Amino acid sequence: MLLNLLSGQTALERKLYGLVIARLDGDRIRHTSYGEEVLSLIRKGIGGFLLQGGEKDEIRAFLTRARSHGDRPLLFASSVDNGMSAPMRGATHFPGPMAFAAAFGSDDPGAPLLITRALAAMAAEAADLGINIPLMPQFPQQNPAPPPEKNDERPLLQAALFDRLNCEYEAAFLNADLTPWRPEALARGGFLYSPCLSDQNDKPFIHALIREDDSAASFASCIAAEGDLLIGAGEPEALVGALAHAFETGLVTKERLDQAFLGVEALKVRIGREYPAAATPVDYERNSELAQEIAQKAVTLVKGRGRFMPVRDSDRLPLIYGGGEEHFLLSHLRYYVSQASHVKKPLPTHERPVVFLLFGGREKGKGEEIEFEKAEQMARSISPAIVVSFGSPWLLDRFKEAEILIAAYDPSPEAEEAVFRCITGERPFEGRLPVNSVLSEKERKRTAP
């Protein structure tokens, strides 16, 4: 509990609570005891909540109830990397920013409008569920790949592409009367968020810090240095206690505390106490169709030779997958082919070509790395090999000797089915690789079908 500072300092306690955004476990709100804990934090003046887990209809109802319990507006934040599907169930699963970038960079003149519609749908779902602080994805500016060849314009094109996409994301949420927060990676770990406002001349000076693994004391020192809000992974009472201790010892001065508190309150005034209802009901079925079309347009043929594709006898196409078995088990692809096996226990592959489905991001665990090494060895001994990355496109760098390389960016059933349509010739490859690759532009053109 908060340290008992001095009599008559209840206002200070409420001020400290107002600088904390606590985690809200959506899977527990149906339990009366947990719901009462959350409402108790609201009565104490908590700044808001970061949503994680739960079912969308239950979350919507609970947030409506929560708004009626406080005497101040509340900030309800959520990551929107894949729309609202990551923090809660029942919302539309949109592809991630890398897939949006690949679709946005395609040669289809209708792609920008499709992106705009999909992002507007994503923002409408956030508004429908009661979110007022969407946490924007971190858009890559510099890629951890080898330097480009001389006269290669890819870095300039990628930077411009992601800058445009970032503006599209922000505009979509601003148009939905939400206040998106833009992330900036910190050298010592974590992210510093600042609000993107349509009226830049009246922008409150406010930064929110989110750091997953740090102690409450570290959060307090961040408030002293540069932050105004703490998005904490720990217990909110511990965070508030650390802030109180920092105030007692002089680490956080009264001036700094007042500056942070007034910045947060100014932002809340802009947002308003009452959250605007959506002008029209959200069409989740239509949003799902938009998300599937983005996933389809994002599929990128990084390297390929025409004589191997399209694959006509697709039901006899052997699939070998690795890096995330749970993703493949959720896919319908295993019903489309007669032979599918995990890379650790591959079935004999008498048919050719063989498709390697790889799931995994840039931060791989030891188990995933072992599976990728196994897949790399197998791909060298099989010709032709079709290698597909459902995650980081940089993963394809280690398979550059394979005949066909495909980037799909997102470990989802929608992305897997989109790849299968491209491989079998039902749909063309439309995506454009938005990141540096070991393959030069000249190599990709030379091997393209």
Side-chain angles (χ1 to χ4, degrees), residues 309-335:
M309 289 194 296
V311 177
R312 300 302 182 188
D313 195 7
S314 58
D315 61 327
R316 299 179 65 186
L317 189 67
L319 301 182
I320 297 176
Y321 57 94
E325 187 171 9
E326 68 280 4
H327 295 299
F328 186 77
L329 294 179
L330 294 173
S331 171
H332 294 162
L333 285 190
R334 65 187 189 277
Y335 304 125

mmCIF file of all heavy atoms in Angstrom, residues 309-335:
data_model
loop_
_atom_site.group_PDB
_atom_site.id
_atom_site.type_symbol
_atom_site.label_atom_id
_atom_site.label_comp_id
_atom_site.label_asym_id
_atom_site.label_seq_id
_atom_site.Cartn_x
_atom_site.Cartn_y
_atom_site.Cartn_z
ATOM 1 N N MET A 309 6.639 -22.713 -60.704
ATOM 2 C CA MET A 309 5.320 -22.267 -60.274
ATOM 3 C C MET A 309 4.541 -21.752 -61.465
ATOM 4 O O MET A 309 5.131 -21.259 -62.430
ATOM 5 C CB MET A 309 5.466 -21.178 -59.197
ATOM 6 C CG MET A 309 5.971 -21.677 -57.870
ATOM 7 S SD MET A 309 5.747 -20.466 -56.526
ATOM 8 C CE MET A 309 6.804 -19.139 -57.084
ATOM 9 N N PRO A 310 3.208 -21.820 -61.405
ATOM 10 C CA PRO A 310 2.434 -22.295 -60.257
ATOM 11 C C PRO A 310 2.462 -23.812 -60.118
ATOM 12 O O PRO A 310 2.694 -24.524 -61.096
ATOM 13 C CB PRO A 310 1.019 -21.810 -60.562
ATOM 14 C CG PRO A 310 0.970 -21.736 -62.055
ATOM 15 C CD PRO A 310 2.341 -21.316 -62.490
ATOM 16 N N VAL A 311 2.229 -24.276 -58.920
ATOM 17 C CA VAL A 311 2.180 -25.712 -58.631
ATOM 18 C C VAL A 311 0.765 -26.192 -58.923
ATOM 19 O O VAL A 311 -0.192 -25.734 -58.304
ATOM 20 C CB VAL A 311 2.552 -25.990 -57.166
ATOM 21 C CG1 VAL A 311 2.422 -27.478 -56.860
ATOM 22 C CG2 VAL A 311 3.971 -25.508 -56.884
ATOM 23 N N ARG A 312 0.627 -27.091 -59.871
ATOM 24 C CA ARG A 312 -0.708 -27.528 -60.301
ATOM 25 C C ARG A 312 -1.284 -28.607 -59.397
ATOM 26 O O ARG A 312 -2.439 -28.555 -59.006
ATOM 27 C CB ARG A 312 -0.642 -28.038 -61.745
ATOM 28 C CG ARG A 312 -0.159 -27.000 -62.746
ATOM 29 C CD ARG A 312 -1.034 -25.766 -62.738
ATOM 30 N NE ARG A 312 -0.598 -24.782 -63.739
ATOM 31 C CZ ARG A 312 -1.093 -23.564 -63.837
ATOM 32 N NH1 ARG A 312 -2.052 -23.170 -63.012
ATOM 33 N NH2 ARG A 312 -0.652 -22.731 -64.761
ATOM 34 N N ASP A 313 -0.465 -29.600 -59.063
ATOM 35 C CA ASP A 313 -0.957 -30.727 -58.264
ATOM 36 C C ASP A 313 -0.732 -30.403 -56.786
ATOM 37 O O ASP A 313 0.071 -31.025 -56.099
ATOM 38 C CB ASP A 313 -0.213 -31.995 -58.666
ATOM 39 C CG ASP A 313 -0.920 -33.238 -58.146
ATOM 40 O OD1 ASP A 313 -2.030 -33.098 -57.599
ATOM 41 O OD2 ASP A 313 -0.354 -34.334 -58.289
ATOM 42 N N SER A 314 -1.476 -29.426 -56.281
ATOM 43 C CA SER A 314 -1.189 -28.874 -54.957
ATOM 44 C C SER A 314 -1.485 -29.840 -53.816
ATOM 45 O O SER A 314 -0.887 -29.737 -52.744
ATOM 46 C CB SER A 314 -1.989 -27.583 -54.746
ATOM 47 O OG SER A 314 -3.376 -27.824 -54.875
ATOM 48 N N ASP A 315 -2.403 -30.788 -54.023
ATOM 49 C CA ASP A 315 -2.725 -31.693 -52.920
ATOM 50 C C ASP A 315 -1.571 -32.652 -52.628
ATOM 51 O O ASP A 315 -1.506 -33.242 -51.553
ATOM 52 C CB ASP A 315 -4.007 -32.480 -53.209
ATOM 53 C CG ASP A 315 -3.883 -33.354 -54.448
ATOM 54 O OD1 ASP A 315 -3.176 -32.936 -55.378
ATOM 55 O OD2 ASP A 315 -4.493 -34.435 -54.474
ATOM 56 N N ARG A 316 -0.633 -32.785 -53.569
ATOM 57 C CA ARG A 316 0.518 -33.657 -53.352
ATOM 58 C C ARG A 316 1.765 -32.848 -52.971
ATOM 59 O O ARG A 316 2.876 -33.368 -53.020
ATOM 60 C CB ARG A 316 0.798 -34.467 -54.617
ATOM 61 C CG ARG A 316 -0.360 -35.371 -55.022
ATOM 62 C CD ARG A 316 -0.053 -36.128 -56.288
ATOM 63 N NE ARG A 316 1.062 -37.064 -56.104
ATOM 64 C CZ ARG A 316 1.605 -37.765 -57.102
ATOM 65 N NH1 ARG A 316 1.151 -37.609 -58.331
ATOM 66 N NH2 ARG A 316 2.599 -38.594 -56.872
ATOM 67 N N LEU A 317 1.563 -31.604 -52.605
ATOM 68 C CA LEU A 317 2.675 -30.722 -52.261
ATOM 69 C C LEU A 317 3.098 -30.980 -50.818
ATOM 70 O O LEU A 317 2.338 -30.708 -49.892
ATOM 71 C CB LEU A 317 2.236 -29.272 -52.430
ATOM 72 C CG LEU A 317 3.296 -28.185 -52.331
ATOM 73 C CD1 LEU A 317 4.272 -28.286 -53.493
ATOM 74 C CD2 LEU A 317 2.642 -26.816 -52.328
ATOM 75 N N PRO A 318 4.297 -31.522 -50.579
ATOM 76 C CA PRO A 318 4.716 -31.768 -49.194
ATOM 77 C C PRO A 318 5.018 -30.452 -48.467
ATOM 78 O O PRO A 318 5.647 -29.545 -49.026
ATOM 79 C CB PRO A 318 5.999 -32.602 -49.355
ATOM 80 C CG PRO A 318 6.022 -33.045 -50.780
ATOM 81 C CD PRO A 318 5.295 -32.004 -51.545
ATOM 82 N N LEU A 319 4.556 -30.352 -47.231
ATOM 83 C CA LEU A 319 4.814 -29.178 -46.396
ATOM 84 C C LEU A 319 5.665 -29.596 -45.200
ATOM 85 O O LEU A 319 5.384 -30.604 -44.547
ATOM 86 C CB LEU A 319 3.509 -28.565 -45.885
ATOM 87 C CG LEU A 319 2.480 -28.086 -46.914
ATOM 88 C CD1 LEU A 319 1.282 -27.473 -46.207
ATOM 89 C CD2 LEU A 319 3.092 -27.096 -47.876
ATOM 90 N N ILE A 320 6.704 -28.829 -44.923
ATOM 91 C CA ILE A 320 7.521 -29.023 -43.727
ATOM 92 C C ILE A 320 7.519 -27.689 -42.989
ATOM 93 O O ILE A 320 7.869 -26.648 -43.556
ATOM 94 C CB ILE A 320 8.959 -29.437 -44.093
ATOM 95 C CG1 ILE A 320 8.950 -30.781 -44.822
ATOM 96 C CG2 ILE A 320 9.827 -29.530 -42.838
ATOM 97 C CD1 ILE A 320 10.324 -31.226 -45.297
ATOM 98 N N TYR A 321 7.094 -27.698 -41.732
ATOM 99 C CA TYR A 321 6.957 -26.435 -41.005
ATOM 100 C C TYR A 321 7.805 -26.448 -39.742
ATOM 101 O O TYR A 321 8.126 -27.494 -39.182
ATOM 102 C CB TYR A 321 5.497 -26.152 -40.673
ATOM 103 C CG TYR A 321 4.811 -27.229 -39.862
ATOM 104 C CD1 TYR A 321 4.745 -27.147 -38.481
ATOM 105 C CD2 TYR A 321 4.214 -28.327 -40.486
ATOM 106 C CE1 TYR A 321 4.113 -28.133 -37.739
ATOM 107 C CE2 TYR A 321 3.581 -29.318 -39.761
ATOM 108 C CZ TYR A 321 3.537 -29.210 -38.377
ATOM 109 O OH TYR A 321 2.926 -30.185 -37.641
ATOM 110 N N GLY A 322 8.181 -25.258 -39.291
ATOM 111 C CA GLY A 322 8.989 -25.124 -38.084
ATOM 112 C C GLY A 322 8.925 -23.723 -37.529
ATOM 113 O O GLY A 322 8.483 -22.780 -38.190
ATOM 114 N N GLY A 323 9.366 -23.586 -36.265
ATOM 115 C CA GLY A 323 9.414 -22.274 -35.630
ATOM 116 C C GLY A 323 8.145 -21.856 -34.932
ATOM 117 O O GLY A 323 8.019 -20.721 -34.493
ATOM 118 N N GLY A 324 7.168 -22.710 -34.822
ATOM 119 C CA GLY A 324 5.926 -22.345 -34.152
ATOM 120 C C GLY A 324 4.810 -23.287 -34.545
ATOM 121 O O GLY A 324 3.948 -22.951 -35.353
ATOM 122 N N GLU A 325 4.843 -24.483 -33.997
ATOM 123 C CA GLU A 325 3.886 -25.518 -34.393
ATOM 124 C C GLU A 325 2.450 -25.092 -34.151
ATOM 125 O O GLU A 325 1.544 -25.454 -34.908
ATOM 126 C CB GLU A 325 4.186 -26.815 -33.638
ATOM 127 C CG GLU A 325 3.358 -28.001 -34.106
ATOM 128 C CD GLU A 325 3.827 -29.312 -33.493
ATOM 129 O OE1 GLU A 325 4.681 -29.263 -32.569
ATOM 130 O OE2 GLU A 325 3.364 -30.367 -33.930
ATOM 131 N N GLU A 326 2.221 -24.279 -33.104
ATOM 132 C CA GLU A 326 0.855 -23.892 -32.779
ATOM 133 C C GLU A 326 0.207 -23.109 -33.916
ATOM 134 O O GLU A 326 -1.004 -23.174 -34.129
ATOM 135 C CB GLU A 326 0.816 -23.079 -31.480
ATOM 136 C CG GLU A 326 1.450 -21.692 -31.541
ATOM 137 C CD GLU A 326 2.966 -21.721 -31.416
ATOM 138 O OE1 GLU A 326 3.538 -22.823 -31.356
ATOM 139 O OE2 GLU A 326 3.561 -20.634 -31.367
ATOM 140 N N HIS A 327 1.019 -22.339 -34.668
ATOM 141 C CA HIS A 327 0.457 -21.576 -35.781
ATOM 142 C C HIS A 327 -0.055 -22.510 -36.879
ATOM 143 O O HIS A 327 -1.134 -22.296 -37.434
ATOM 144 C CB HIS A 327 1.513 -20.623 -36.353
ATOM 145 C CG HIS A 327 1.943 -19.557 -35.400
ATOM 146 N ND1 HIS A 327 1.066 -18.633 -34.882
ATOM 147 C CD2 HIS A 327 3.156 -19.272 -34.868
ATOM 148 C CE1 HIS A 327 1.726 -17.824 -34.061
ATOM 149 N NE2 HIS A 327 2.981 -18.194 -34.042
ATOM 150 N N PHE A 328 0.720 -23.520 -37.211
ATOM 151 C CA PHE A 328 0.300 -24.427 -38.278
ATOM 152 C C PHE A 328 -0.916 -25.243 -37.850
ATOM 153 O O PHE A 328 -1.791 -25.541 -38.673
ATOM 154 C CB PHE A 328 1.444 -25.360 -38.672
ATOM 155 C CG PHE A 328 1.110 -26.220 -39.856
ATOM 156 C CD1 PHE A 328 1.126 -25.688 -41.131
ATOM 157 C CD2 PHE A 328 0.759 -27.555 -39.702
ATOM 158 C CE1 PHE A 328 0.808 -26.473 -42.234
ATOM 159 C CE2 PHE A 328 0.447 -28.334 -40.797
ATOM 160 C CZ PHE A 328 0.468 -27.797 -42.070
ATOM 161 N N LEU A 329 -1.001 -25.603 -36.575
ATOM 162 C CA LEU A 329 -2.130 -26.406 -36.108
ATOM 163 C C LEU A 329 -3.443 -25.641 -36.189
ATOM 164 O O LEU A 329 -4.516 -26.228 -36.184
ATOM 165 C CB LEU A 329 -1.866 -26.880 -34.673
ATOM 166 C CG LEU A 329 -0.697 -27.859 -34.520
ATOM 167 C CD1 LEU A 329 -0.509 -28.236 -33.054
ATOM 168 C CD2 LEU A 329 -0.895 -29.100 -35.374
ATOM 169 N N LEU A 330 -3.364 -24.288 -36.249
ATOM 170 C CA LEU A 330 -4.562 -23.469 -36.395
ATOM 171 C C LEU A 330 -4.926 -23.238 -37.856
ATOM 172 O O LEU A 330 -5.959 -22.648 -38.156
ATOM 173 C CB LEU A 330 -4.358 -22.109 -35.709
ATOM 174 C CG LEU A 330 -4.212 -22.129 -34.187
ATOM 175 C CD1 LEU A 330 -3.857 -20.737 -33.667
ATOM 176 C CD2 LEU A 330 -5.490 -22.634 -33.529
ATOM 177 N N SER A 331 -4.073 -23.686 -38.760
ATOM 178 C CA SER A 331 -4.261 -23.407 -40.182
ATOM 179 C C SER A 331 -5.063 -24.505 -40.864
ATOM 180 O O SER A 331 -5.022 -25.667 -40.471
ATOM 181 C CB SER A 331 -2.892 -23.275 -40.858
ATOM 182 O OG SER A 331 -3.053 -23.216 -42.258
ATOM 183 N N HIS A 332 -5.755 -24.104 -41.932
ATOM 184 C CA HIS A 332 -6.477 -25.065 -42.763
ATOM 185 C C HIS A 332 -5.570 -25.736 -43.777
ATOM 186 O O HIS A 332 -5.993 -26.670 -44.466
ATOM 187 C CB HIS A 332 -7.627 -24.366 -43.502
ATOM 188 C CG HIS A 332 -8.695 -23.859 -42.590
ATOM 189 N ND1 HIS A 332 -9.619 -22.901 -42.960
ATOM 190 C CD2 HIS A 332 -8.981 -24.165 -41.297
ATOM 191 C CE1 HIS A 332 -10.425 -22.638 -41.941
ATOM 192 N NE2 HIS A 332 -10.060 -23.394 -40.928
ATOM 193 N N LEU A 333 -4.332 -25.273 -43.888
ATOM 194 C CA LEU A 333 -3.440 -25.819 -44.910
ATOM 195 C C LEU A 333 -3.205 -27.313 -44.735
ATOM 196 O O LEU A 333 -2.993 -28.021 -45.714
ATOM 197 C CB LEU A 333 -2.084 -25.098 -44.870
ATOM 198 C CG LEU A 333 -2.031 -23.678 -45.439
ATOM 199 C CD1 LEU A 333 -0.596 -23.224 -45.536
ATOM 200 C CD2 LEU A 333 -2.699 -23.608 -46.804
ATOM 201 N N ARG A 334 -3.204 -27.763 -43.500
ATOM 202 C CA ARG A 334 -2.925 -29.187 -43.288
ATOM 203 C C ARG A 334 -4.009 -30.063 -43.895
ATOM 204 O O ARG A 334 -3.804 -31.268 -44.073
ATOM 205 C CB ARG A 334 -2.764 -29.479 -41.797
ATOM 206 C CG ARG A 334 -3.989 -29.273 -40.945
ATOM 207 C CD ARG A 334 -3.624 -29.435 -39.464
ATOM 208 N NE ARG A 334 -4.769 -29.462 -38.596
ATOM 209 C CZ ARG A 334 -5.384 -28.387 -38.145
ATOM 210 N NH1 ARG A 334 -4.962 -27.181 -38.510
ATOM 211 N NH2 ARG A 334 -6.427 -28.488 -37.333
ATOM 212 N N TYR A 335 -5.181 -29.469 -44.203
ATOM 213 C CA TYR A 335 -6.237 -30.238 -44.856
ATOM 214 C C TYR A 335 -6.114 -30.189 -46.374
ATOM 215 O O TYR A 335 -6.780 -30.936 -47.087
ATOM 216 C CB TYR A 335 -7.613 -29.695 -44.458
ATOM 217 C CG TYR A 335 -7.847 -29.677 -42.962
ATOM 218 C CD1 TYR A 335 -8.214 -28.504 -42.313
ATOM 219 C CD2 TYR A 335 -7.693 -30.826 -42.188
ATOM 220 C CE1 TYR A 335 -8.431 -28.477 -40.943
ATOM 221 C CE2 TYR A 335 -7.903 -30.809 -40.826
ATOM 222 C CZ TYR A 335 -8.270 -29.623 -40.202
ATOM 223 O OH TYR A 335 -8.488 -29.602 -38.847
#
